[in-house]
Structure formats: structure tokens, C-alpha cells
Amino acid sequence: IRVAASLRILLVMCRSIQTLRGTEPTEDDVRAAARQYVRKLSGYREPSQANTEVFERAVDEIAGATAKLLDELVSPPRRAAS
């Protein structure tokens, strides 16, 4: 439940993150989106040395949750209205 809430916040807060659903994102794409999300929430572009471990752990966890979500989605992406 926490991960789902975090991903929902990701969609609302990080407007510069590209939609990955309906594409074939690479691991780098997923990690870049996760890193942007953690930057947004933490307020750090790059964490201090004291916060690097927790920052990177958060990126890893969010990237894993994102990859799992994308792998398990079964419906096709909605098309934007023209």
C-alpha cells in the first residue's frame, strides 16, 4: 500500500517524469524516473555524504516497485485525446 501511494504521488508531483507505460523502458529509464522522484521528495539534487546511502536505497526501492508495476500492468495505455 505504501508503494502504491508513493507511485501515485510520483505521477502528481514529478511532472517532468515521462510516462513509461506503453513503451519499452530500459532499466536506466526506470532508475532515472525513480531518482527524479527521490530528488523531488527529498529536496536534494545530490544528497550529502551523510544521506547518500538512504537516498540511493530509496532510488533502488522505487525503481524496483516501478519495474514491478510496469511488468504487471495488463491493460493497454490510454491514448491521449486529440
Side-chain angles (χ1 to χ4, degrees):
I1 296 173
R2 267 174 116 173
V3 172
S6 294
L7 290 174
R8 200 168 25 255
I9 291 168
L10 168 70
L11 296 174
V12 172
M13 292 183 66
C14 300
R15 294 185 185 114
S16 64
I17 295 175
Q18 299 297 313
T19 299
L20 298 177
R21 183 176 62 135
T23 67
E24 293 185 25
T26 65
E27 186 177 329
D28 287 342
D29 295 331
V30 171
R31 285 195 63 75
R35 183 168 301 283
Q36 181 65 24
Y37 175 68
V38 172
R39 284 177 175 166
K40 186 72 162 185
L41 288 181
S42 69
Y44 290 114
R45 175 153 169 58
E46 292 298 324
S48 64
Q49 189 173 15
N51 291 315
T52 297
E53 185 178 336
V54 70
F55 186 94
E56 292 301 322
R57 187 169 52 245
V59 170
D60 292 342
E61 290 174 4
I62 292 167
T66 301
K68 183 176 190 233
L69 171 69
L70 293 172
D71 286 345
E72 294 179 4
L73 288 173
V74 293
S75 61
R78 290 181 282 172
R79 294 186 180 248
S82 356

